[in-house]
Amino acid sequence: MPAPEDLVSLYTAKVAAAPDLAALDAVRVEALGKQGAITQLLKTLGKMDPDTRKVEGPRIQAARQAVADAIEARKAALEHEALEARLASERLDLSLPVEETPLGSVHPVSQVMDELSEIFADMGFAVAEGPEIEDDWHNFEALNIPEAHPARAMQDTFYVDTGEEGAPPVLRTHTSPVQIRTMMREEPPLRIIAPGRVYRSDSDATHTPMFHQVEGLVIDRDIHMGHLKWTLETFLKAFFERDDIVLRLRPSYFPFTEPSAEVDVGWSEQKGRRVVGGSEGWMEVLGSGMVHPKVIANCGLDPDEWQGFAFGCGIDRLAMLKYGMDDLRAFFDGDLRWLKHYGFGMLDTPTLSAGVGA
Amino acid sequence: MKFTLSWLKEHLDTDASPEQIAATLTAIGLEVEDVTNPAEALRPFKVAKVISAERHPQADKLQVLSVDAGEGPMQIVCGAPNARAGMKGVFGGPGTYVPGPGFTLGNATIRGVDSSGMMCSARELELGEDHDGIIELPADAPVGQSYADYADLDDPVFDVNVLANRPDCMGVHGIARDLAAAGLGTLRRPDSDALPPSEDTPPVDVRIEGEGCTVFWRRAIRGVKNGQSPEWLQRRLKAVGQKPISALVDVTNYFTLDRARPLHVYDLAKLQGDIVVRRGRGEADRFMALNDKEYVPTEEDIVIADDRGAIGLGGVIGGAATGVDESTTDLLVESAWFDPETVARTGQRHNLVTDARMRFERGVDPASTREGVEAPVRMMIAHAGGTASAPAVTDVSPPEGYPYRRNVVAYRPQRLAELAGIDLADEAQRALLERLAIHPTDVARLCEDHADPAAAARHYEAVARKGGWLLHIPSWRPDIEGEADVVEEIARLHGYDKIPSTPLARPFGVARPTATRAQVAERRLRRTAAARGLHEAITWSFVSDAQAAPFGGGAHRLANPISEELKVMRPSLLPGLAAAARRNLDRGQSSVRLFEIGRRYLAEGEKPTATLLLVGEARPRGWAAGKARAFDPYDAKAEAYALLEAAGAPTGNLAIFEGAGADWHPGRSAALGLGPKKILARFGELHPALLKTLDLPEGTVAAEIYLDAIPAPRSKERARVAYAPPALQPVTRDYAFFVPEDLQAAQLERAVAGADKKRIVATRIFDRFEGKDGLSLAIEVTLQPRDKSFTDEELAELSQKIVTAAAAKGAKLRT
């Protein structure tokens, strides 16, 4: 019988020499298989007297363990080598482009309308709507703009041809008719904004025949111009996300408000660009005033009981001032390059907690 | 409205700087658009003397001048025919910017002769139109002095935007009055010396027929010599952009600007018979106006007529036939009052903007008609000679109209705080009003010329009892009609900047949601579209006739479109999106995904609609996916469903109706609805004929979602229906059927799903194959066991039910 230590030397050498897992398994069978040399040695233990077994047992077991360990170690090493070899052959050029998910955009006008809704909702204003093809009464008469009023000529109205006698319908020249409709439909107190498309037959570098306005209206018993001023300050500070917004109210004239005020906002120059905030200069941003008693009466309300303010402001212009576009005409072109640049992402929903700008 | 500082100072005694004046004007509602000082640009130009003038050796029409502008002789080449030795003119040296032609002078060589500067014409300095020669100055002009100083050009020009309700500020005097009221100085009374009395009466009679003109004052002047107006007057007119014409015309124009008092002058020699103020008579009244254009007055227009017909549109423009010129010796000066509305309509009708119209349509001070004729006549005589006749007047007294209405407004001083938020003591308010010549008045005076003095007294006393004041409004302020107007007057003089910012009352707690369901649905749809790769466009609400025609034409057409392209209110959003898509394709875009949310303007109303258009590549060519894939109708379907879902439509209940309509490819489009009459959306490939008119490639797909057709959800409940995920795993089974050619996959799916509504929880078509044996559809069915797993018998039974249900639609299980 060979000495266990000899077998250990023999097989550990063979294990070390096994070039692959198959050869290693052959060594395992030769040493530790049913007929394996070390297995044969183990079988001799049963025939030994107890004293001999006490000595030989551990020797043989140690030899078995040593060979088994060597096989296990070699196996792990060979497996590792095999994995390395496979991985070395498996390579993807991950610099290749992946399939793009197309990304769309929200138009700046829509984004700004959402921002306005959010800001004014916090001040308790609902969003009201009205028709764009308006009758003469809602667009003019009820707003204290009689037919020969110079303000009519100023507004460059589009008329709708009905082929019938009488005052033709118009494309609303401002969002103010929504004031009238709201006052006639709902019971005061009222707080609304009314954003939407408006039309004037005007077309040049800075005017388009269609543009967007937002109207504001508050009707209650004790509303005065101080509330108007606060509302506009609060709105513009929230909208432009700046605390240094300065307003200047100037006496003005609109047939549907009295007293009337044109509102300028202060600007300052930053990086060669005029931005809203500060007071290096003034730019006109909106028209406003206390709703004219005649207008309130025209809506069936008692002007001795109800009063309030109204304002109107260009949405496209607000967007340009906040987001830096300089060409109004591009708003209505649908140029994908422009929309990708100036448009907003789907998740840019304005919220009070995350901010109303994007 | 333009005026110069010196002009203003003739009416206002003030030391205020131009900057202070401009700031105050804006603060009180007279917005200053611009302040320019013509002297600024002319500072470098000097008074110069021509020492010698020689013929240019190389050019007949040029001279070589030696010029002294105070710094020794300079040589220049000059082409002006009037340049000669000894004369004085205006010189600009090298480096000087010449405003007229807009260039900077350098050292030049003209045909071989050096030239260092130029002698300037009036046009080159933007001082007039004259370019026939260089400016000639009097012999005593001091050489070397700045020309701007010498010519007294240092006079800033203000350009003020006068609001439509302020007729009084359409004249320099009125602006001065407002500035004085704002505390910027003292108003000077215009001199009002009466003309010497005369026995002479104007030789023509004036008759007023009909409404619109209430008073017509006039004086004749005989023996005038109408030459040029004086230098100061010409300069003043030129400074505000008016062209001097002759002494008589310049004086009328001057008073229009100075006192907002439009006048008219007639050459008495050219008048035929008496004057009638009446309505126009159409063609019979066709006349040539002073602007060299012909007008045909209508029955709505007020005309001034003599025996031959119209000789002017009342309050707007005079006629050429009776205009004054250098041969005029006798004339008639008119100072009348025309109704603002009538003048405004006449101006609009004839598309004619004149200084007279701009004043009459705002409302000329009716009290100015009589005195309005005095000062101008005096000035005309001063500059053109002649003697004035006595004044004569023709007037009518309408019951309510100007100029006889005494304008009284009842005002409660507490309204200032209530409307403007300004706290100001009664005395302070009263003081501000007094500055505007708005005086409290007493009842007795008010009732003096009232038709029913007792009733008037009762009314006025009732006002006074409520703590109100009765304010007499001056005749030049027709805009002040009620308390709100008085509040504005006090507030603007006190200062809008003193209005205290006052928070709106805020309900307790977190702000309530305000958006309506439709508004929320629209926002969700918009952001979903953006998430799915669509870009939101905003296109014109109006399209051309040709664009509207395929959609049944426009129900609303503009009477005054700005172009044929923007003429009809769109019946569909597709033409606008198609045009945008076309522009994008022309710019080289290979894939266009556009959508718009807006209204269609139909006969039955304005319909909120979301429309999307997909043109070009759905997916670009790629190293992994291979060739590019074009958009197909299924892409449009995917968008339609996603957007409907986002907008809250019950997409699970929608039926699909083949063929979306005339604008769509009949076999590759469909409508989605809750029934054939409740269509919520259309999608698919657009009809090739439509695409041809839209100039888009065949195969372009689109979808339309009718936002107002989406029903409101039944429940507004926030809590969901109770639900616990099943404990057992679902089982899937696949079935393949041969189906009839015309069977919709959705019909098969619905039939299969209906085979056992409890246990079949999902179905999905996963294969479609058209072979020689017919059309085959394969469907995956998900079965959900509840309390215990399915037995083989149960599964066999379910399969049988599925096969039977499919068979009812003509489907045969493939074996």
Side-chain angles (χ1 to χ4, degrees), chain B residues 319-400:
Chain B
T322 54
V324 295
D325 55 33
E326 58 278 14
S327 69
T328 302
T329 57
D330 299 343
L331 67 142
L332 189 74
V333 184
E334 161 208 313
S335 170
W337 193 87
F338 297 99
D339 170 54
E341 263 194 52
T342 314
V343 171
R345 282 180 216 256
T346 293
Q348 284 167 21
R349 189 174 303 117
H350 298 285
N351 196 18
L352 185 54
V353 180
T354 63
D355 284 324
R357 172 194 167 182
M358 286 199 295
R359 286 160 181 79
F360 278 116
E361 73 180 0
R362 284 171 158 87
V364 164
D365 179 0
S368 74
T369 45
R370 186 181 195 292
E371 66 181 62
V373 84
E374 301 298 297
V377 166
R378 209 166 43 248
M379 194 187 281
M380 285 176 191
I381 291 172
H383 301 302
T387 49
S389 76
V393 64
T394 303
D395 57 359
V396 292
S397 313
E400 287 291 328

Side-chain angles (χ1 to χ4, degrees), chain A residues 260-293:
Chain A
S260 303
E262 197 87 56
V263 181
D264 298 336
V265 64
W267 55 261
S268 52
E269 201 163 286
Q270 284 178 11
K271 295 175 196 157
R273 202 170 187 170
R274 272 188 193 185
V275 299
V276 171
S279 54
E280 285 171 33
W282 299 102
M283 61 176 124
E284 208 171 294
V285 285
L286 47 83
S288 65
M290 298 300 293
V291 181
H292 199 292

Side-chain angles (χ1 to χ4, degrees), chain B residues 630-645:
Chain B
F631 284 114
D632 62 37
Y634 295 103
D635 293 311
K637 179 183 178 181
E639 301 308 333
Y641 266 88
L643 301 189
L644 280 169
E645 180 77 35

Side-chain angles (χ1 to χ4, degrees), chain A residues 86-167:
Chain A
R86 178 162 69 83
L87 291 182
S89 72
E90 289 175 351
R91 181 182 161 272
L92 290 180
D93 179 359
L94 292 175
S95 72
L96 280 168
V98 295
E99 201 169 309
E100 283 171 48
T101 309
L103 261 187
S105 63
V106 168
H107 196 283
V109 166
S110 300
Q111 179 73 18
V112 168
M113 284 189 186
D114 281 358
E115 294 176 8
L116 297 174
S117 304
E118 199 64 13
I119 293 167
F120 278 102
D122 189 53
M123 294 193 270
F125 289 64
V127 176
E129 288 160 40
E132 291 166 22
I133 301 175
E134 251 312 352
D135 55 53
D136 188 85
W137 192 81
H138 284 94
N139 196 73
F140 292 125
E141 290 286 337
L143 287 160
N144 198 30
I145 314 174
E147 201 195 320
H149 198 284
R152 279 212 189 189
M154 274 156 29
Q155 291 207 346
D156 300 320
T157 311
F158 280 118
Y159 294 94
V160 177
D161 186 6
T162 57
E164 286 166 26
E165 287 288 302

Side-chain angles (χ1 to χ4, degrees), chain A residues 21 32 40 50 55 62 79 95 102 107 129 135 138 182 188-189 195 198 208 229 251 277 324 332 347:
Chain A
L21 287 169
L32 301 175
Q40 295 302 323
V55 179
E79 276 174 354
S95 72
H107 196 283
E129 288 160 40
D135 55 53
H138 284 94
T182 306
V198 296
T208 48
K229 197 173 193 176
F332 309 116
L347 292 177

Side-chain angles (χ1 to χ4, degrees), chain A residues 164-186:
Chain A
E164 286 166 26
E165 287 288 302
V170 301
L171 298 191
R172 66 177 181 193
T173 55
H174 45 190
T175 40
S176 307
V178 185
Q179 278 184 37
I180 303 298
R181 291 182 176 277
T182 306
M183 279 192 271
M184 298 190 72
R185 189 176 54 225
E186 287 165 36

